[in-house]
């Protein structure tokens, strides 16, 4: 497939279609500003058509009626299809949202394929339950697919965020309508084609690209959608819960923002590793990661040494052409997000933080959207850059002297997605990990990740968990069937 042939039409009921009113929007590349293609600008009528197709597919049982082992085989083929088209998908993702091709291929494609395979593999190994009731009755507790699942995802890991939801939803037997971000719609559309080729029947997996209020809201408000899986900002996540309540009380699961604290004590077992993780994790994916450790608390006695090492590493992350296989920091997703990041940098400077590195737009001659990796020290908890999610390559460094106080500051956030603590003292590690209000706490590392563990947050970082077997709970209903037993013996 050549770049000029990227197909931006929706995929509804197994067919590529224009938006019903013929509207489109331009899909621009943040790599160099070029127009990649035009994309169907779906609205209410297109969402209605996609939901109707999904509903029909669910009711006639063309997918949910298959034995779990049969769905498993198709899901595994779907995963294989991603790997067979890995280069194409990686290139599309890089051009569409700016991440380095190296990671688009090694992380995004592989993780999405692994996720599809894992839920496919799991689905014929989960048993239902029989309750320990009295002998005159039998109570069966069974999971049933919900029906039509609406999925709305952001642009930072387009394929992975989609896979975390569509994999358990489809494996469990649901039909899906996916609305990708308007900033990165292309791989979602291609995934739906690959799903068809793998044998997922038409109508079971539909994709409606478009803007949030135009295509996302109709999905969240739809009376025929039984469940909505959302990943995105806390601001929109709150609206999703309202829309679920305003319509049919559909189940609403939200994976939202973060401002994750990373606490490094002076007795950290490996300072170089801690510095590499602190810097590498905030700059990975251009800082556009919900779980990026954007608040770094360093014990005062090691702060100078820590910052010296961090500043030595920072130039390695200066952005470069994401299509170059050696690049590790690419482009910010679009001009709007780049300007948001630069506004936060300005607010950091104005509110009195010390800018130690970066802080400027980069590579503007390319026509793309690039920001230098940025490190602020002397940050205090009241500053905007310390309170708000920036979603860009900006690290805020704070220093501390007291363990109880640093935990209090770490928890003083509306978010609670992830956190980390670095210490060689096992009591301190466990004590601080227990005290931190976060869905995931890392000890002496930041990058371990696996499909087997749940992902999600406390507080305003969302409701529910992606990944692991727990994700099946989101896309299935529990049904109890009581059977009376009048035993003749
Ligand atoms: P966003 O909330 O602006 O958009 C997310 C999705 O919602 C997009 O598809 C968008 O079109 C849609 N949307 C926007 N307005 C809508 C509306 N009124 N009704 C229905 N849908 C609507 O977020 P974003 O900028 O795309 O993504 C960045 C955010 O996502 C960050 O806050 C980040 O932390 C979060 N995120 C969270 C996780 C997690 O697992 N917790 C993972 C990745 C990203």
């Amino acid at each position: 497939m050549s770049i000029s042939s990227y197909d931006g039409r929706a995929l509804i009921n197994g067919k590529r279609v224009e938006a019903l009113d013929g509207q489109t929007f331009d899909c621009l590349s943040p790599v160099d500003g070029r127009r990649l293609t035009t994309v169907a600008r779906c609205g209410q009528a297109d969402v209605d058509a996609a939901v109707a197709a999904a509903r029909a597919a669910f009711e006639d049982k063309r997918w949910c009626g298959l034995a779990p082992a049969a769905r498993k085989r198709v899901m595994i083929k779907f995963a294989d299809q991603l790997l067979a088209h890995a280069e194409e998908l990686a290139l599309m993702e890089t051009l569409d949202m700016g991440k380095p091709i190296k990671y688009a291929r090694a992380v995004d494609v592989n993780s999405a394929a692994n996720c599809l395979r894992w839920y496919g593999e799991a689905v014929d190994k989960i048993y239902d339950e029989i309750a320990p009731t009295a002998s005159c009755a039998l109570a069966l507790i069974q999971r049933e697919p919900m029906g039509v699942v609406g999925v709305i995802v952001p642009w930072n890991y387009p394929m992975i965020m989609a896979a975390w939801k569509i994999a358990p939803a489809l494996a469990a037997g649901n039909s899906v309508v996916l609305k990708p971000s308007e900033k990165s719609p292309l791989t979602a559309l291609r995934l739906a084609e690959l799903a068809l080729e793998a044998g997922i029947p038409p109508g079971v997996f539909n994709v409606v690209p478009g803007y949030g209020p135009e295509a996302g809201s109709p999905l969240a408000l739809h009376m025929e959608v039984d469940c909505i899986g959302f990943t995105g900002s806390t601001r929109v996540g709150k609206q999703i819960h309202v829309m679920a309540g305003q319509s049919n009380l559909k189940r609403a699961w939200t994976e939202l923002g973060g401002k994750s604290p990373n606490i490094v004590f002076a007795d950290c077992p490996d300072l170089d590793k801690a510095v590499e993780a602190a810097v590498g994790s905030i700059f990975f994916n251009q800082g556009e990661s919900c779980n990026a450790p954007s608040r770094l608390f360093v014990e005062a006695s090691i702060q100078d040494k820590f910052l010296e090492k961090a500043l030595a590493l920072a130039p390695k992350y200066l952005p470069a052409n994401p299509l170059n296989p050696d690049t590790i920091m690419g482009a910010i997703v679009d001009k709007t997000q780049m300007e948001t990041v630069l506004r936060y940098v300005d607010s950091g400077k104005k509110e009195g933080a010390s800018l130690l590195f970066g802080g400027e737009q980069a590579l503007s001659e390319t026509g793309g959207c690039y920001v230098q990796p940025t490190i602020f020290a002397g940050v205090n908890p009241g500053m905007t850059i310390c309170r708000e999610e920036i979603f860009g390559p900006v690290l805020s460094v704070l220093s501390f002297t007291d363990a109880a106080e640093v935990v209090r500051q770490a928890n003083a956030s509306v978010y609670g997605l992830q956190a980390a603590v670095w210490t060689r003292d096992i009591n301190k590690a466990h004590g601080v990990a227990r005290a931190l209000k976060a869905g995931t706490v890392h000890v002496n590392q930041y990058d371990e990740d696996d499909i087997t563990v749940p992902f999600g947050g406390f507080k305003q970082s969302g409701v529910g968990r992606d990944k692991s077997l727990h994700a099946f709970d989101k896309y299935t209903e529990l049904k109890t069937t009581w059977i009376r037993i009048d035993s003749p013996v």
Side-chain angles (χ1 to χ4, degrees):
M1 177 185 283
S2 74
I3 293 168
S4 59
S5 67
Y6 282 173
D7 188 345
R9 291 176 298 167
L11 197 150
I12 297 175
N13 210 13
K15 294 201 178 62
R16 286 297 205 136
V17 290
E18 305 286 0
L20 284 164
D21 62 5
Q23 298 254 24
T24 58
F25 62 96
D26 282 340
C27 179
L28 303 179
S29 175
V31 175
D32 53 11
R34 86 173 99 157
R35 189 172 67 94
L36 294 172
T37 185
T38 53
V39 176
R41 182 170 172 169
C42 291
Q44 178 78 54
D46 308 288
V47 171
D48 285 347
V51 172
R55 172 61 59 197
F58 188 73
E59 296 304 332
D60 72 16
K61 299 191 170 37
R62 71 188 78 157
W63 176 245
C64 65
L66 298 181
R71 290 202 301 274
K72 170 180 83 172
R73 285 192 287 277
V74 177
M75 293 297 293
I76 291 172
K77 266 199 210 155
F78 186 9
D80 289 342
Q81 283 288 82
L82 263 65
L83 296 181
H85 295 82
E87 308 301 330
E88 174 202 338
L89 290 166
L91 177 60
M92 203 181 248
E93 202 77 301
T94 291
L95 289 170
D96 203 3
M97 68 71 63
K99 70 175 66 200
I101 188 96
K102 167 185 178 135
Y103 299 135
R105 172 68 185 84
V107 179
D108 293 62
V109 177
N110 283 353
S111 297
N114 183 49
C115 178
L116 293 167
R117 180 185 310 280
W118 194 82
Y119 284 101
E121 293 275 13
V123 76
D124 69 345
K125 294 166 191 71
I126 299 172
Y127 290 69
D128 288 326
E129 300 164 33
I130 295 175
T133 56
S135 60
C136 61
L138 180 66
L140 308 176
I141 304 169
Q142 290 168 293
R143 287 170 188 264
E144 292 187 356
M146 284 187 169
V148 177
V149 174
V151 173
I152 301 177
V153 290
W155 43 264
N156 58 338
Y157 296 94
M159 276 185 282
I160 300 177
M161 295 299 101
W164 283 5
K165 296 178 194 316
I166 64 174
L170 288 173
N174 297 284
S175 298
V176 169
V177 178
L178 165 65
K179 196 212 78 71
S181 170
E182 58 279 16
K183 296 180 191 227
S184 62
L186 297 182
T187 48
L189 292 163
R190 191 70 184 112
L191 288 194
E193 282 183 338
L194 296 175
L196 278 173
E197 287 168 24
I200 294 197
V204 172
F205 178 24
N206 309 275
V207 181
V208 285
Y211 291 92
E214 295 171 8
S217 295
L219 196 56
L221 283 165
H222 210 290
M223 296 301 284
E224 285 292 319
V225 171
D226 302 290
C227 167
I228 197 102
F230 174 86
T231 298
S233 62
T234 294
R235 182 184 66 79
V236 178
K238 288 180 181 181
Q239 294 173 26
I240 296 291
H241 287 286
V242 171
M243 288 187 259
Q246 275 174 338
S247 52
N248 56 348
L249 208 61
K250 57 179 63 64
R251 308 299 179 254
W253 308 110
T254 50
E255 298 289 343
L256 308 176
K259 192 75 189 174
S260 299
N262 182 13
I263 304 171
V264 186
F265 285 97
D267 65 353
C268 156
D270 183 339
L271 196 61
D272 287 329
K273 202 170 152 218
V275 174
E276 264 169 45
V279 170
S281 305
I282 182 67
F283 296 148
F284 185 70
N285 212 44
Q286 302 69 245
E288 298 161 327
S289 299
C290 52
N291 60 340
S294 49
R295 290 184 295 150
L296 173 63
F297 296 87
V298 183
E299 192 158 0
S301 59
I302 57 163
Q303 200 196 15
D304 289 349
K305 203 169 9 154
F306 194 102
L307 285 176
E308 191 184 309
K309 287 176 185 283
L311 288 173
L313 277 184
K316 209 174 105 183
Y317 292 90
L318 283 166
N321 186 343
L323 293 167
N324 180 331
D326 296 327
T327 294
I328 57 171
M329 167 87 103
I332 301 288
V333 69
D334 68 0
K335 195 159 170 278
T336 310
Q337 182 63 15
M338 179 178 74
E339 285 167 356
T340 301
V341 174
L342 293 171
R343 259 200 314 279
Y344 274 113
V345 171
D346 272 351
S347 95
K349 289 195 245 176
K350 283 195 188 115
E351 291 178 20
S354 320
L355 179 63
L356 299 188
F357 193 86
E360 302 284 335
Q361 184 180 348
L363 305 174
S364 52
E365 68 284 0
T366 60
C369 309
Y370 299 86
V371 174
Q372 294 173 340
T374 300
I375 301 179
F376 279 108
V379 175
N380 71 51
M383 290 178 182
T384 310
I385 54 169
C386 194
R387 285 184 291 106
E388 296 185 10
E389 185 183 41
I390 299 174
F391 225 53
V394 182
L395 179 63
S396 295
V397 186
L398 300 89
S399 82
F400 72 92
T401 51
D402 177 72
E405 176 57 16
V406 76
V407 168
R408 198 193 60 73
Q409 286 185 14
N411 285 337
S413 169
V414 297
Y415 299 114
L417 191 55
Q418 298 210 343
V421 50
W422 298 75
T423 173
R424 66 172 77 239
D425 176 340
I426 192 162
N427 290 310
K428 207 193 289 177
H430 277 293
V432 171
R434 278 192 189 169
L436 287 167
K437 293 185 169 48
T440 301
V441 179
H442 300 276
V443 177
N444 295 334
Q445 61 86 36
Y446 204 86
D447 49 8
E448 278 301 328
D449 189 25
D450 200 70
I451 190 68
T452 56
V453 297
F455 187 103
F458 286 17
K459 301 192 271 181
Q460 293 185 37
S461 285
V463 176
R465 296 288 182 270
D466 278 333
K467 299 170 58 191
S468 81
L469 293 180
H470 293 282
F472 278 123
D473 296 338
K474 304 201 297 189
Y475 305 113
T476 52
E477 287 283 18
L478 279 185
K479 177 183 277 180
T480 301
T481 308
W482 281 101
I483 300 169
R484 184 174 170 80
I485 301 179
D486 288 323
S487 175
V489 289

